[in-house]
Amino acid sequence: MKDMNELPLGIKQLFTSITYLKEGERVLIITDDDKREIGEFVYKYAKQFFETSMIVMPPTEGHGAEPTEAVTAALNNCDVAFGATTYSLYHTKARLNASKNGRLRWIGLQDYALHMFETGGLTADFDEVTRVVNRVAPFYKGNTFTLTAPGGTHMVCSIEGREPVLDHGTATVPGSASFPPNAEVALGPVEGTANGVLVFDGSIPHPLLNLIEEPITCTVKDGFITEISGGREADILRKMLADFNDPTVYNIAELGLGLNKENFLCGHMAPDEGSFGNIHIGIGKNLNFGGHVDSPLHLDMIIKTVTCNIDGRDIMKDGDLLV
């Protein structure tokens, strides 16, 4: 096969509108023992068109945990890297430094399933997705952020001085990074300012949780989750966070508004985070969002059908975009 039109649609999108890969560029595929099926699927097609290498490593212990030294070195010597791993490498120092220092375009494929290459968010028109993200971005900043949702969420925090971080689902220029089919505008709340209640009723993309059956209620005080209540899934989350034995994992780190209409909640990270009308609250590490909390964890948790208000203006109301 040497015709891109014969590729699975999602694979074709990865090589074209998502990365603008060109002949002669170097492709690196990073995978681990639990996601080799995804890594090898991308590798099978990438090697037909580009100089492609693949590294297999053990799964890291969680989102944001550093990869092996060999992966860190390889990231500094490629044009496009696909991270087909169990947990996200996006927030790692290895990825951040490679994006800052070199020519790297980073595409996170963590927590992928094969069906995602054929249906859902990867089939979106990414030019249109980019237009939507860019349209929302100027409105997604200010001083006071108020979040509500029908499930019982009501939280207020300061976003003063914080600039929106955009993920168009594409990485087309050196230094850029994305996590297709996610598409979002995100903000890092000012540390210590978030107060209220968060009710997670969508999903928590993690092998132990995924689609939420019984809502998880989290009390937030002065920037940290202080109490977690609910059923079996709340117990899993509570233990998972406690096992870190590190208070930073409870930090409210991110307010990420999903903006890809082709996505749907399915228990996988990229489509869930980028699902239109929902928000994901990231906890733990916030270095990528203008903050200074360097936590061993960055975990995103989704709330459905949200209303986001900044300084008295509704950006989204009951899941409908108003800007």
Side-chain angles (χ1 to χ4, degrees), residues 21-153:
L21 261 164
K22 296 182 287 295
E23 192 175 346
E25 290 196 301
R26 292 179 180 171
V27 173
L28 173 67
I29 293 158
I30 303 160
T31 191
D32 59 41
D33 298 322
D34 294 339
K35 283 293 178 181
R36 282 188 74 145
E37 180 182 47
I38 304 301
E40 290 172 356
F41 186 74
V42 179
Y43 174 75
K44 176 175 74 172
Y45 295 111
K47 69 179 181 180
Q48 298 178 34
F49 298 94
F50 313 103
E51 181 187 323
T52 304
S53 303
M54 185 169 79
I55 298 180
V56 183
M57 66 177 186
T60 59
E61 58 268 29
H63 300 303
E66 296 298 320
T68 61
E69 286 187 19
V71 168
T72 301
L75 281 172
N76 289 289
N77 194 31
C78 66
D79 297 292
V80 170
F82 294 104
T85 51
T86 304
Y87 295 108
S88 172
L89 300 179
Y90 178 78
H91 294 279
T92 62
K93 294 186 182 75
R95 199 287 299 172
L96 289 167
N97 289 336
S99 292
K100 189 166 59 180
N101 299 334
R103 61 186 194 263
L104 176 68
R105 311 199 294 280
W106 171 262
I107 298 293
L109 305 181
Q110 64 270 20
D111 189 34
Y112 256 50
L114 287 175
H115 71 79
M116 291 167 55
F117 293 102
E118 300 285 357
T119 60
L122 270 187
T123 68
D125 177 346
F126 281 91
D127 291 336
E128 175 59 21
V129 169
T130 295
R131 283 191 287 272
V132 172
V133 171
N134 289 345
R135 190 176 78 232
V136 175
F139 299 98
Y140 206 67
K141 57 184 172 181
N143 294 310
T144 303
F145 190 104
T146 304
L147 175 67
T148 57
T153 289

Side-chain angles (χ1 to χ4, degrees), residues 230-241:
R232 180 186 64 85
E233 293 155 311
D235 294 340
I236 292 171
L237 178 63
R238 193 184 307 110
K239 181 182 186 306
M240 194 168 76
L241 297 179

